[in-house]
Amino acid sequence: QVQLVESGGGLVQAGDSLRLSCAASGRTFVSYAVGWFRQAPGKEREFVSTIGRNGGNTNYAEPVKGRFTISRYNAQNTVHLQINSIKPEDTAVYYCAARLWAVSTNAIDYGYWGQGTQVAVSS
């Protein structure tokens, strides 16, 4: 079992950079693939990025490719989402999620979720 806590959200201006972090508890974090998802007001939760257990097998949603970078540090039980050139349409609550073994871009495949961190982007 794993517990997740996101941090790093806030109010930023378009064009700024932001780094979100996901801290995981548990000694078996290396067994979990991790995904980032986001949910904007009035919209469904959507896939943002995933990373495999050993830091490989990264995937990105089309709207964030080239601007977002996911990374993980298993020794510290953390996953980061670096956001560059942030846009107003990136405004959302960002969630990290974990599932055993393989990555997935489908939120329904993830059994463990953090509470989310709010990102608001002003134009």
Side-chain angles (χ1 to χ4, degrees), residues 2-122:
V2 63
Q3 293 182 325
L4 306 171
V5 178
E6 302 94 336
S7 63
L11 175 62
V12 296
Q13 292 186 333
D16 284 351
S17 295
L18 196 66
R19 190 176 80 161
L20 306 183
S21 297
C22 175
S25 65
R27 293 177 294 176
T28 59
F29 179 64
V30 70
S31 299
Y32 292 83
V34 174
W36 281 96
F37 295 82
R38 66 186 182 185
Q39 188 165 17
K43 296 187 177 181
E44 294 189 352
R45 191 168 300 189
E46 65 175 3
F47 160 71
V48 174
S49 181
T50 62
I51 190 166
R53 291 176 292 135
N54 294 314
N57 199 9
T58 56
N59 296 280
Y60 299 92
E62 283 297 327
V64 309
K65 280 183 179 179
R67 300 187 298 117
F68 288 25
T69 303
I70 192 171
S71 59
R72 70 184 290 164
Y73 301 89
N74 287 334
Q76 298 174 1
N77 280 14
T78 58
V79 174
H80 299 299
L81 186 69
Q82 177 68 38
I83 304 173
N84 296 326
S85 303
I86 202 166
K87 301 177 180 180
E89 51 263 44
D90 294 322
T91 294
V93 177
Y94 284 72
Y95 299 89
C96 70
R99 69 186 303 264
L100 280 172
W101 310 125
V103 299
S104 172
T105 61
N106 296 316
I108 197 171
D109 291 334
Y110 288 81
Y112 302 97
W113 291 83
Q115 83 290 347
T117 186
Q118 174 73 56
V119 173
V121 185
S122 63

